[in-house]
Amino acid sequence: MLFSTAYFPPLSYVAAIAEGFILSDDGVKPSCVWIDAGEHYVKQTWRNRCRIASAAGTEDLRVPVVHAGGVKVPVGQVRIDYTTPWVTRTLRAIDAAYCSSAFYLYYCDGMADILASKPETLLELNTALLRFFLDKIGIPADVRLTPHYVHAGRCCRLGRISVNASIPNAPIPFCKIGDLKSRISRSLPKNTAFSRTCP
């Protein structure tokens, strides 16, 4: 499955990852998840924003990024701007919204540690958060980064694309691994390990 990076990804994103793992007599085969590290960063998408349910309704949280002034930058190179206290504001907002929720104490320290570690790029932050939550939820997944942009069409991009009239701006989170492998293998030499991973 191919995904765009997402900051505190929505439930549909995590559910799509969960659909990919296989339970068998031999054990659990984890989902193979590719995060497109080469796609261009697009402002006002789930790449650096998330929406939480607060007492006052929904609240949008965002990660400020350093802009390159109109230059298209791969999402793997987008740097986080730590000149504002966004980490503190984010942790306070999440704490106020979820401190009385079941299992919040189980997640809050690890989540705060990731945010406080100040990853240099947005992709590093999002990937660390995704791996943390998949681990805590118990969803087996092999999360990998593509070495370059993979043109997989609109079906494989997480963005502000409406897929359901009752859920405006719902993300389109994934495509099938067969499509991904064929698109990647066309652009890489046959002996490249990347083209043979995740059967």
Side-chain angles (χ1 to χ4, degrees), residues 6 9 13-14 17 33 35 125-135 143:
Y13 190 103
V14 176
I17 293 172
V33 178
I35 305 295
L125 172 65
N126 291 352
T127 304
L129 287 169
L130 176 64
R131 286 181 173 142
F132 171 75
F133 284 114
L134 290 175
D135 179 58
V143 179

Side-chain angles (χ1 to χ4, degrees), residues 43-83:
K43 296 190 304 185
Q44 298 184 0
T45 60
W46 298 119
R47 289 167 186 86
N48 72 323
R49 296 168 186 264
C50 70
R51 183 170 290 155
I52 65 171
S54 69
T58 60
E59 182 176 351
D60 290 342
L61 303 176
R62 69 178 193 86
V63 177
V65 296
V66 178
H67 295 278
V71 177
K72 292 184 178 181
V73 178
V75 74
Q77 297 174 12
V78 174
R79 298 172 59 91
I80 298 173
D81 182 1
Y82 288 101
T83 61

Side-chain angles (χ1 to χ4, degrees), residues 9-21:
L11 185 58
S12 59
Y13 190 103
V14 176
I17 293 172
E19 287 178 5
F21 77 86

Side-chain angles (χ1 to χ4, degrees), residues 2-4 36 39 47 149-159 161 171-174:
L2 175 67
F3 291 78
S4 290
D36 195 345
E39 68 177 347
R47 289 167 186 86
Y149 173 70
V150 178
H151 180 70
R154 287 175 59 113
C155 72
C156 300
R157 294 279 160 245
L158 176 66
I161 301 169
I172 297 177
F174 69 96

